[in-house]
Amino acid sequence: MKARQPLQQETATPSSDDRYLAVTHEVFNQPPALEDYNLFEQDKALQEAVAREGAAAATSDLKQFGAFAGAADTIALGFHANENKPAFNTHDRFGHRTDQVDFHPAYHQLMSTAMENGLHSSPWTNPGAGAHVARTAKYYMHSQIEAAHCCPITMTFAAVPSIRKQPELAAVWENKILANSYDPRNLPDSEKQSVTIGMAMTEKQGGSDVRANTTRAYAIGAEGPGQAYELVGHKWFVSAPMCDAFLVLAQTRSGLSCFLMPRWRPDGSKNPWQIQRLKNKMGNVANASSEAELRGALAWMMGEEGRGVPTIIEMVAMTRFDCMIGSSAGMRQALAQASHHCRHRSAFGGRLSEQPLMQNVLADLALESEAALAYTMRIAKSLDSQHLEHERLLARLATPVGKYWICKRTPNHAYEAMECIGGSGVMEDCIMPRLLRESPVNAIWEGSGNVQCLDTLRALQKEPDTLDAFFSEAAEARGADARFDRFLAQLQNDFADISDFEYRARNLVDRLALLMQSSLLLRNSDPAVADAFCASRLEHNGGLNYGNLPSGTDPAAIIKRATPVVG
């Protein structure tokens, strides 16, 4: 039998044509990444609002922060924080109860930056003209990096007015709350130079109806404000459970009262409020939210016994304002992504940003974004001027109106911006999915839409002058646009009888928000923006979705004003 000969391998060299065929395509007609740009210098509406509302002195600092917020490395922190959810451990390896929530280092970096920049403290440590406006502008940019970690920043910031109602507690806590540093260690507050503050109000059976709470407070010794109690019960939603102390509502013999509950007892032992689990949230994933049980947790009463809601409401009012900032920021980032994409992307024979129908959508998104910012910054100015009766009354009514409207407009805005980008906007390596998941959060937290409408009614009933202040402020634009004048007159007429306000509340609050936004834009913005806003929002033209600007508006001017120029 003949031996089989080994097979010879063919080793032909590829021809130049073969090598060419291995290259499938060249990447072109794709936008550059929206990064390494200045969020302040590329936002005309923000620059104007800062100067207009009294914070021009902060311009240099805001420019510096804008460069940080738009840097590629900074943007990456937001992605890393969201890609790595917090992890919860009840005990350490030796069996000690720790209630430890661990976060990705990117989360801690963002927290450090926020606190080092005074986003939790600056209007309290340096009050005066422009303080809230400057802080709002910086928070607006910071939230565009990553929104979830802003929750503990907001609560720490908002807690100060409530804690100051109990001077002996403020003497212990305030300096550490206002320290511009971040200490995430799970240690007693006595061993830390800076602390964060959270809030625990809602329970399973009540939700927004906190008066249905069943958690009980038992006096250890003397009763009343400033005294020590032990709390027994549960909390259904505790955001940022790694905060060092929490404002908590619990029942005493005199009714629902407010308490300051630390994570640790003064003797260094773990305070027995125990996290049961972390919430599995659709969005806001970089921030931990939890359910907790209180098993005799030590706490101190703040404010008058039985008046827990009025005590904590000042904190709630400030958190609601920050919801407005956060939603406005989400709109701005979504708009920036969409307009940047369309500026660089071509389709159907031209740039997307020059296609008439896309111009209509982009310009409409830009109107919504600028109107939200203008409203928010005007209320920031009111917060800087609470010694003036007009500003106090305006803020009281405009805050629930703005929180309701701006936050509720954000989800569809995020979706439309995503659609402008197309399939790439749905991918998780794009920021748009995160913006979309984040968009409902502010509308629900700190009181959903109906709660804000009811709070608007409460303001009108307790202080009818709030409506006069609101209309007086809006009427400063009277005469600038006939559509505005008609809208104002009709709304004032409709408020002549509000006996059925609760049933009609959404319609009335919608229109209050639109009235104020159009007034602010008519008085302060580019004429093309104000004209298009009045044309599309104050007169019914049959369209409810974005992209319904009527003929005769100037979308190109609106888009140019709103688009960051990068690459």
Side-chain angles (χ1 to χ4, degrees):
M1 190 172 185
K2 252 185 176 181
R4 181 176 294 177
Q5 298 297 314
L7 295 173
Q8 299 295 316
Q9 297 289 330
E10 294 186 5
T11 57
T13 302
S15 68
S16 58
D17 287 343
D18 292 332
R19 287 195 296 270
Y20 177 77
L21 291 173
V23 179
T24 61
H25 68 287
E26 176 187 355
V27 177
F28 66 98
N29 194 26
Q30 287 285 343
L34 182 56
E35 59 188 24
D36 292 327
Y37 73 112
N38 191 306
L39 265 65
F40 186 76
E41 292 182 340
Q42 294 288 340
D43 191 337
K44 185 72 172 176
L46 178 61
Q47 294 174 51
E48 292 175 357
V50 165
R52 178 176 69 244
E53 308 299 358
T59 298
S60 178
D61 183 44
L62 292 172
K63 285 183 179 179
Q64 184 177 0
F65 193 83
F68 163 79
D73 288 347
T74 305
I75 293 169
L77 293 176
F79 280 90
H80 293 322
N82 276 268
E83 290 163 357
N84 299 273
K85 290 185 177 183
F88 172 52
N89 291 290
T90 56
H91 297 76
D92 66 16
R93 65 192 181 98
F94 302 106
H96 304 117
R97 182 91 195 194
T98 58
D99 290 298
Q100 176 70 36
V101 182
D102 293 316
F103 298 85
H104 189 270
Y107 172 92
H108 293 304
Q109 285 182 256
L110 292 168
M111 286 289 294
S112 292
T113 298
M115 297 188 75
E116 288 166 4
N117 279 273
L119 296 184
H120 68 300
S121 65
S122 56
W124 314 131
T125 55
N126 296 291
H132 279 281
V133 174
R135 186 253 176 191
T136 298
K138 190 175 284 189
Y139 188 107
Y140 175 80
M141 292 187 286
H142 190 74
S143 185
Q144 291 181 57
I145 304 167
E146 201 288 313
H149 80 281
C150 293
C151 178
I153 298 299
T154 281
M155 291 191 295
T156 303
F157 165 71
V160 173
S162 292
I163 290 176
R164 284 178 173 174
K165 288 182 174 292
Q166 202 63 48
E168 61 268 42
L169 292 177
V172 175
W173 287 90
E174 185 169 331
N175 286 342
K176 292 183 178 182
I177 293 171
L178 299 178
N180 286 355
S181 60
Y182 172 58
D183 187 345
R185 296 177 297 166
N186 190 359
L187 294 174
D189 55 271
S190 60
E191 300 180 30
K192 303 174 74 169
Q193 297 303 309
S194 67
V195 297
T196 53
I197 305 294
M199 178 168 41
M201 293 198 298
T202 60
E203 298 181 5
K204 295 182 180 72
Q205 72 284 347
S208 296
D209 183 9
V210 294
R211 295 191 185 279
N213 284 6
T214 60
T215 296
R216 302 292 305 180
Y218 301 93
I220 294 175
E223 299 181 5
Q227 299 301 319
Y229 286 71
E230 289 186 338
L231 309 184
V232 178
H234 82 279
K235 293 298 168 183
W236 183 231
F237 214 102
V238 183
S239 253
M242 292 306 289
C243 287
D244 296 282
F246 302 83
L247 269 63
V248 181
L249 293 177
Q251 301 282 359
T252 68
R253 288 182 295 181
S254 298
L256 196 64
S257 304
C258 184
F259 297 85
L260 180 68
M261 180 186 73
R263 199 163 65 190
W264 294 79
R265 287 175 175 253
D267 64 4
S269 63
K270 181 78 176 60
N271 205 10
W273 73 272
Q274 297 175 354
I275 300 171
Q276 300 305 297
R277 61 176 177 173
L278 298 187
K279 297 287 192 179
N280 187 17
K281 296 176 290 183
M282 176 187 81
N284 201 251
V285 296
N287 171 49
S289 299
S290 65
E291 300 164 18
E293 291 190 354
L294 286 58
R295 303 175 181 274
L298 179 64
W300 286 266
M301 184 179 288
M302 286 176 38
E304 185 180 347
E305 184 173 358
R307 298 277 296 167
V309 172
T311 300
I312 206 170
I313 201 66
E314 289 196 45
M315 180 179 185
V316 173
M318 296 307 301
T319 58
R320 287 175 176 173
F321 174 69
D322 272 15
C323 286
M324 291 164 56
I325 306 174
S327 290
S328 299
M331 285 192 200
R332 172 57 193 171
Q333 182 57 219
L335 170 65
Q337 295 288 333
S339 60
H340 170 77
H341 175 88
C342 292
R343 176 174 172 263
H344 289 276
R345 179 83 164 174
S346 293
F348 309 112
R351 295 282 186 186
L352 276 175
S353 59
E354 297 169 358
Q355 304 281 4
L357 188 51
M358 182 61 82
Q359 282 190 327
N360 198 316
V361 174
L362 288 175
D364 212 354
L365 293 173
L367 295 180
E368 196 71 42
S369 174
E370 182 166 346
L373 175 64
Y375 191 115
T376 300
M377 293 292 273
R378 178 61 185 90
I379 304 311
K381 181 181 179 180
S382 283
L383 295 177
D384 282 326
S385 308
Q386 287 294 283
H387 59 288
L388 302 175
E389 185 68 356
H390 171 76
E391 300 296 339
R392 185 189 69 79
L393 292 168
L394 178 63
R396 174 62 188 96
L397 185 61
T399 298
V401 170
K403 197 275 187 187
Y404 162 83
W405 179 253
I406 293 170
C407 298
K408 191 166 289 297
R409 295 288 287 176
T410 304
N412 201 42
H413 188 278
Y415 160 69
E416 286 285 359
M418 177 183 281
E419 187 172 301
C420 290
I421 297 172
S424 296
V426 184
M427 302 302 114
E428 290 291 351
D429 51 1
C430 173
I431 196 174
M432 287 308 308
R434 183 181 356 139
L435 293 178
L436 183 62
R437 288 194 299 268
E438 199 75 32
S439 62
V441 170
N442 287 326
I444 295 171
W445 288 7
E446 309 307 329
S448 59
N450 284 355
V451 171
Q452 300 310 308
C453 289
L454 293 174
D455 192 39
T456 299
L457 175 60
R458 189 159 39 248
L460 296 175
Q461 291 172 333
K462 291 190 66 176
E463 291 190 276
D465 288 348
T466 57
L467 185 62
D468 294 335
F470 195 98
F471 278 134
S472 174
E473 176 72 25
E476 291 188 16
R478 185 186 281 122
D481 187 288
R483 296 163 297 194
F484 174 83
D485 292 350
R486 290 193 295 270
F487 192 87
L488 170 62
Q490 183 62 56
L491 187 56
Q492 287 179 310
N493 182 68
D494 289 348
F495 266 93
D497 179 10
I498 57 171
S499 57
D500 63 344
F501 180 95
E502 189 168 333
Y503 182 76
R504 294 189 296 138
R506 288 205 173 203
N507 176 271
L508 292 171
V509 175
D510 285 355
R511 292 156 65 200
L512 282 174
L514 287 171
L515 179 74
M516 186 60 72
Q517 288 182 328
S518 55
S519 174
L520 291 168
L521 294 178
L522 283 166
R523 286 183 276 156
N524 303 309
S525 187
D526 183 275
V529 171
D531 173 65
F533 191 88
C534 290
S536 58
R537 271 56 169 185
L538 303 188
E539 292 193 326
H540 180 67
N541 58 16
L544 299 177
N545 292 320
Y546 289 103
N548 273 280
L549 302 186
S551 298
T553 55
D554 190 353
I558 298 168
I559 294 167
K560 182 177 179 181
R561 173 179 170 83
T563 303
V565 179
V566 180

